[in-house]
Amino acid sequence: MRIQVQLAINGETVKQDVLEIAEQKLGEMTDEEIESAIEVNIRTWMDRMVQVEWEVIEE
């Protein structure tokens, strides 16, 4: 299964990717389980792609 994901900031796409889940891993999963597996893969992708850095510049 291939899933296309897009990361947009302020309405502008800044990153696109295609995630793959091997069909044999999906086996006999229900639709709900497959949806959960997709969401886990997307969250993992997001964790790798997005970092937020900040610092106090004035107190």
Side-chain angles (χ1 to χ4, degrees), residues 24-47:
Q24 65 267 22
K25 287 187 177 181
L26 300 176
E28 296 183 20
M29 292 178 145
T30 65
D31 288 346
E32 292 82 19
E33 292 170 328
I34 291 172
E35 185 174 328
S36 290
I38 291 169
E39 289 173 356
V40 166
N41 275 271
I42 291 171
R43 280 194 298 272
T44 300
W45 178 83
M46 285 291 297
D47 288 344

Side-chain angles (χ1 to χ4, degrees), residues 8-23:
I9 297 176
N10 200 27
E12 183 178 332
T13 299
V14 294
K15 179 75 175 167
Q16 293 182 359
D17 210 345
V18 175
L19 307 179
E20 293 190 38
I21 302 174
E23 292 291 333

